[in-house]
Amino acid sequence: MNRTQATSLIIPLISIACLIGGGFLLQTNGQDQVNASRSVKGTTLNADSIHVSFEQVGGKVLNIPVTEETKVKKGTVLMTLDSTDVDLQIEQLRTQIAQFNTQISQQQQSINLGYTRAATQEKQAQLDIAQAQVTESKSQAALQRAQAAERQATAAEQQVNNGVRDEDVQQQRIAVASATKNVQTAQTNYKRNKALYDAGSASKAALDDAESSLTLATNQLSQQKEALQKLLHGATSEERMQASEQTTQAAVSVKQAEEEIRGAQLSVDRSKTQLETIQQSRQQLADQKLAIDLLKQQKDTQEVQLKTLLLKKERLVLKAPQDGKVTSISTKVGENVAQGAPVITLETNDLYYDLYVNEEQAGKFKDQEIKTHISGLNKDLKGTVRYVTAAPQFANVKMSREKGEADTATFQIRVYVTREAALLPGMTVEVNTNEISS
């Protein structure tokens, strides 16, 4: 091979070698060991991106109000899924909750009415007991008077039938005197009660009792006087018949008074039985309260389900989690999306860049602010170190050790900068590691 031919082969080989080397440098983003060891690091700004998906819901896409390159604010609606099924379930639950409210209200009103009725019945039963006891007390007094009248009538009848005796006349005179004293006492008692009643200090019942006692005493006095006259003048057949009738009437009055007492006692027993029935009614009302508690628990369960469905419906509307720009939409209107599947890629306003440094330089980077130079703007900004981590394997060099281990490791530094209007993704940034304090 002559010199000319060798020269013509060398030039293409050199060109090929340069292209291969340049391609390798581009693939490693210039982060070989030589670049990693330099003090001035150059890289590019990148925009942070997030993949937005529906949270725990899926379904048919109903509307996509944004397109690629649309700038959005936090909370902007990005996509909406069909909510027909959820709306029907929500309407059904609301109907069921309304029915529970109606049932609870009706039962509560029924219980309140039951307690009111029980209180009224209890009060009436207690009044009936008090009235029956008063009637019984009056009947006891009437019985005593009837028994006394019966004894007097029987004695008078015996006197009429047996004829007059001096001792009988004397006893009858004593009876007249006693009856006269009773009338005087009754008159005094009546006058006192009448005065108290007129003054408003006594009840009408007390005045009526006093008047009844006076009338009874007056009648007894009249009877005793008649009996005395009969003793003095002797009894006729007609008087004997009248004496017998009076004895019979007195016996009837005794029986009538006894019947009134038994009737009053029966009234008391019935009223006490009614009180026991009222107590049982209250226990039944208390049991109905337990049924209301069960309805309320069922209603609470329905309300929890309703809140779940309302949350599900809210999640059918996909909103931007933060300010940014839509860069990709992976579905269309009418398509079905699965829950959790990313449907929109959003480029946020957070800008960052990655540096690749060697292990000696990596020790300088901590959770701190570092000086960042924007070449295109010729401006310095403050960047915040987010993390320091081992770099991917392509950035390591000289894989010559045993088991393919690298001789020198490279570390990745991620730094975030505050976005400004002039900053754009893709701009070149530089960091001088010598200006970073350890």
Side-chain angles (χ1 to χ4, degrees):
M1 180 181 295
N2 56 32
R3 183 183 297 274
T4 302
Q5 292 175 335
T7 302
S8 62
L9 290 174
I10 291 172
I11 294 175
L13 290 173
I14 294 174
S15 299
I16 292 172
C18 291
L19 288 174
I20 294 174
F24 177 77
L25 291 175
L26 289 174
Q27 181 181 6
T28 60
N29 199 23
Q31 305 306 328
D32 55 24
Q33 179 60 22
V34 176
N35 282 327
S37 62
R38 292 175 180 171
S39 60
V40 178
K41 307 295 180 180
T43 184
T44 57
L45 277 177
N46 299 294
D48 208 358
S49 297
I50 56 175
H51 300 291
V52 187
S53 62
F54 288 96
E55 182 181 358
Q56 298 181 1
V57 294
K60 182 180 178 181
V61 178
L62 187 65
N63 184 29
I64 306 177
V66 297
T67 59
E68 286 83 353
E69 299 300 316
T70 299
K71 291 184 178 180
V72 296
K73 294 290 185 180
K74 181 179 180 180
T76 301
V77 176
L78 303 178
M79 189 177 297
T80 305
L81 298 182
D82 187 9
S83 63
T84 302
D85 293 341
V86 177
D87 290 337
L88 291 175
Q89 294 175 15
I90 290 174
E91 183 177 356
Q92 182 181 8
L93 277 177
R94 282 176 172 166
T95 301
Q96 293 174 353
I97 291 173
Q99 291 174 351
F100 276 120
N101 286 332
T102 301
Q103 292 177 6
I104 292 171
S105 177
Q106 289 176 346
Q107 291 202 18
Q108 188 63 56
Q109 290 178 359
S110 177
I111 290 174
N112 293 340
L113 180 61
Y115 275 115
T116 301
R117 186 184 297 111
T120 302
Q121 292 175 348
E122 182 180 26
K123 185 176 180 180
Q124 184 61 46
Q126 291 173 346
L127 290 175
D128 292 342
I129 290 174
Q131 184 175 0
Q133 289 174 343
V134 171
T135 301
E136 182 181 6
S137 178
K138 289 183 177 180
S139 298
Q140 290 284 1
L143 176 61
Q144 292 176 0
R145 290 193 297 268
Q147 289 173 342
E150 183 182 21
R151 290 192 297 270
Q152 291 176 0
T154 301
E157 183 180 6
Q158 289 177 354
Q159 289 177 357
V160 170
N161 293 328
N162 295 331
V164 179
R165 294 183 303 174
D166 293 338
E167 57 270 22
D168 292 336
V169 172
Q170 186 62 30
Q171 290 178 357
Q172 189 60 38
R173 292 183 186 277
I174 294 173
V176 169
S178 177
T180 301
K181 186 176 181 180
N182 288 338
V183 169
Q184 293 173 352
T185 302
Q187 286 177 341
T188 303
N189 186 41
Y190 173 76
K191 290 179 181 179
R192 182 173 61 254
N193 279 278
K194 182 66 168 61
L196 291 174
Y197 175 75
D198 293 339
S201 300
S203 64
K204 184 66 168 57
L207 179 61
D208 291 341
D209 289 340
E211 185 177 3
S212 298
S213 298
L214 176 60
T215 301
L216 179 62
T218 302
N219 292 334
Q220 289 177 351
L221 175 60
S222 178
Q223 292 174 359
Q224 296 298 334
K225 285 182 178 180
E226 290 179 359
L228 178 60
Q229 291 298 321
K230 290 177 182 179
L231 289 176
L232 293 175
H233 297 91
T236 64
S237 59
E238 183 179 355
E239 290 174 344
R240 289 189 178 93
M241 185 178 296
Q242 290 177 353
S244 177
E245 290 177 356
Q246 289 176 356
T247 301
T248 302
Q249 290 177 357
V252 170
S253 298
V254 170
K255 290 182 179 180
Q256 184 177 359
E258 290 174 347
E259 291 294 332
E260 290 177 355
I261 291 173
R262 284 194 292 269
Q265 291 174 345
L266 289 175
S267 296
V268 171
D269 293 339
R270 282 196 298 268
S271 298
K272 289 182 178 180
T273 302
Q274 188 176 5
L275 288 176
E276 294 176 357
T277 303
I278 293 171
Q279 186 60 33
Q280 294 174 358
S281 299
R282 284 200 173 99
Q283 184 59 46
Q284 292 175 353
L285 293 173
D287 294 339
Q288 290 182 18
K289 281 187 175 182
L290 296 177
I292 289 181
D293 293 339
L294 179 60
L295 286 175
K296 288 181 178 180
Q297 291 176 2
Q298 294 175 350
K299 175 191 168 185
D300 292 341
T301 301
Q302 297 286 351
E303 288 180 340
V304 171
Q305 294 178 4
L306 177 60
K307 290 180 181 179
T308 303
L309 285 176
L310 290 174
L311 179 61
K312 182 178 181 180
K313 181 177 180 179
E314 182 180 346
R315 288 174 175 173
L316 292 175
V317 180
L318 186 64
K319 297 181 180 180
Q322 61 185 85
D323 297 349
K325 180 178 69 175
V326 177
T327 59
S328 175
I329 301 176
S330 59
T331 187
K332 298 178 181 179
V333 174
E335 292 183 346
N336 287 321
V337 296
Q339 69 176 38
V343 292
I344 287 180
T345 302
L346 188 67
E347 180 185 283
T348 70
N349 291 330
D350 294 330
L351 297 177
Y352 72 92
Y353 60 87
D354 292 330
L355 297 176
Y356 293 88
V357 299
N358 58 32
E359 53 190 334
E360 289 82 6
Q361 295 171 333
K364 295 182 178 182
F365 291 90
K366 302 175 183 178
D367 295 335
Q368 60 179 327
E369 292 183 346
I370 61 174
K371 181 179 178 181
T372 301
H373 181 72
I374 310 300
S375 301
L377 301 178
N378 193 24
K379 182 178 181 181
D380 292 334
L381 297 176
K382 290 182 179 180
T384 303
V385 176
R386 180 66 58 88
Y387 62 80
V388 179
T389 186
Q393 286 297 320
F394 75 83
N396 295 329
V397 297
K398 292 181 67 177
M399 307 294 290
S400 59
R401 292 186 179 180
E402 283 187 277
K403 300 181 182 178
E405 293 182 355
D407 288 342
T408 304
T410 303
F411 290 85
Q412 179 185 2
I413 314 296
R414 176 154 295 187
V415 181
Y416 277 80
V417 297
T418 302
R419 188 157 195 167
E420 297 181 358
L423 286 180
L424 296 174
M427 284 187 170
T428 301
V429 297
E430 294 179 349
V431 175
N432 190 341
T433 59
N434 291 335
E435 295 179 355
I436 301 174
S437 59
S438 299

